[in-house]
Amino acid sequence: FVRGGKQDELVKLLRDGSSEAELKAAVCKSACKRRKMPKMEQPRVDEEFVRGLDAGMLEVMENRDKIREETGQTIELMPRDQMDSMSQGDRELTAAQDAFAAQMREAREAGGRDWRGKELSGDL
């Protein structure tokens, strides 16, 4: 992307086989010039970090791959308002899915296998 209407000039220089120095001199002169930044109207204030309401949710999202790797549990996150708007049937379905997944994990562990179906080591 060439700014300042320099596209035609750049094309001409490229066709003529101009050197890198000539290209920089022609195209970059105004773009590369250091500009003095305007002073800020208000002084900069370093604000104290305030932990948001969703901080716990963010932490779980960051760790969900680790949890999946270790336990095989898939974590599905949703905001509180979305959860509150779920119908009773949706809540029952979600609870049934969680219970089924727990039963599958327990059955595999009882059979000496991890959630992937691989043999468990004797360390557990």
Side-chain angles (χ1 to χ4, degrees):
F1 179 70
V2 181
R3 300 181 69 141
K6 299 278 186 176
Q7 281 181 318
D8 293 334
E9 187 176 345
L10 177 63
V11 170
K12 182 181 180 305
L13 289 170
L14 289 171
R15 283 188 180 153
D16 294 344
S18 300
S19 69
E20 182 181 344
E22 291 172 321
L23 288 170
K24 281 184 180 178
V27 177
C28 298
K29 189 191 313 184
S30 63
C32 298
K33 184 172 40 173
R34 288 198 172 253
R35 296 185 181 110
K36 188 174 181 181
M37 298 299 294
K39 293 204 180 232
M40 295 174 63
E41 293 178 15
Q42 297 176 351
R44 182 182 167 276
V45 177
D46 192 14
E47 298 176 6
E48 181 182 341
F49 175 75
V50 178
R51 193 173 179 103
L53 297 174
D54 292 336
M57 182 182 251
L58 291 173
E59 207 170 293
V60 171
M61 287 176 68
E62 290 170 354
N63 293 327
R64 70 178 164 188
D65 291 333
K66 181 181 174 191
I67 293 169
R68 168 74 179 180
E69 183 67 29
E70 292 174 356
T71 67
Q73 183 177 2
T74 304
I75 297 176
E76 186 177 326
L77 300 172
M78 65 178 69
R80 170 63 90 188
D81 58 341
Q82 186 179 354
M83 188 183 293
D84 290 342
S85 67
M86 289 174 65
S87 70
Q88 186 63 30
D90 289 340
R91 290 180 187 170
E92 290 172 3
L93 176 64
T94 302
Q97 288 172 334
D98 291 344
F100 178 72
Q103 286 176 345
M104 291 295 294
R105 276 193 307 276
E106 290 168 6
R108 283 201 176 115
E109 286 175 9
R113 299 187 179 276
D114 68 3
W115 68 273
R116 294 183 198 103
K118 294 182 181 177
E119 291 289 330
L120 289 173
S121 62
D123 298 341
L124 299 176

